[in-house]
């Protein structure tokens, strides 16, 4: 059974940084992808980043490219999302998700497995 556990959310001031973690279990081998998506109040869920765990390929949405970095520690089965230059517009519940591959575009949210969310609040 695939399980995803997201953590690391919190309150941060605009311009600050935060690192989210996603602990994954239940996968066989490393031929899968882990992504991060977020949902702000009153808005639809949107993908922000995805990583192919096997080869390390990464993808970012236009809204976070250059500010967020996704990485994977395969020994720990954990994927990280390092977020920098945060703005109040980044305030959302962040979810980690998984599937056999990353969506065609990083903004998409076609994942079969989802973890619980972790709230990120950026104050101005």
């Amino acid at each position: 059974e695939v399980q995803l556990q997201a953590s690391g959310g919190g309150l941060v001031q605009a311009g600050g940084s935060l690192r989210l973690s996603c602990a994954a279990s239940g996968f066989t081998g490393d031929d899968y992808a882990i992504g991060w998506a977020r949902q702000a109040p009153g808005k639809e869920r949107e993908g922000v980043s995805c990583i192919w765990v096997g080869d390390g390929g990464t993808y970012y949405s236009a809204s976070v490219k250059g500010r967020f970095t996704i990485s994977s520690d395969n020994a720990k089965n954990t994927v990280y999302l390092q977020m920098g230059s945060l703005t109040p517009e980044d305030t959302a519940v962040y979810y980690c998700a998984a599937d056999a591959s990353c969506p065609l575009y990083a903004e998409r949210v076609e994942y079969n497995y989802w973890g619980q969310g972790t709230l990120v609040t950026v104050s101005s």
Side-chain angles (χ1 to χ4, degrees):
E1 178 187 6
V2 172
Q3 292 188 336
L4 303 168
Q5 181 74 35
S7 62
L11 175 64
V12 62
Q13 288 188 334
S17 300
L18 204 61
R19 189 179 78 161
L20 305 182
S21 300
C22 176
S25 62
F27 291 100
T28 301
D30 58 6
D31 191 17
Y32 61 95
I34 298 285
W36 287 96
R38 65 186 181 185
Q39 188 163 17
K43 294 187 177 181
E44 292 187 356
R45 193 172 297 188
E46 62 170 353
V48 297
S49 186
C50 186
I51 185 169
W52 286 80
V53 173
D55 68 8
T58 58
Y59 304 88
Y60 299 93
S61 69
S63 62
V64 307
K65 193 170 186 179
R67 300 189 298 121
F68 292 10
T69 302
I70 192 170
S71 62
S72 175
D73 184 337
N74 292 356
K76 296 182 179 180
N77 294 321
T78 300
V79 168
Y80 304 99
L81 185 68
Q82 180 68 47
M83 305 185 295
S85 301
L86 287 163
T87 74
E89 288 68 38
D90 294 312
T91 294
V93 177
Y94 283 72
Y95 299 88
C96 65
D99 210 318
S101 61
C102 289
L104 185 59
Y105 300 102
E107 292 84 353
R108 301 289 290 266
V109 291
E110 287 97 3
Y111 296 94
N112 278 315
Y113 305 100
W114 289 87
Q116 92 295 353
T118 185
L119 177 62
V120 173
T121 303
V122 184
S123 63
S124 57

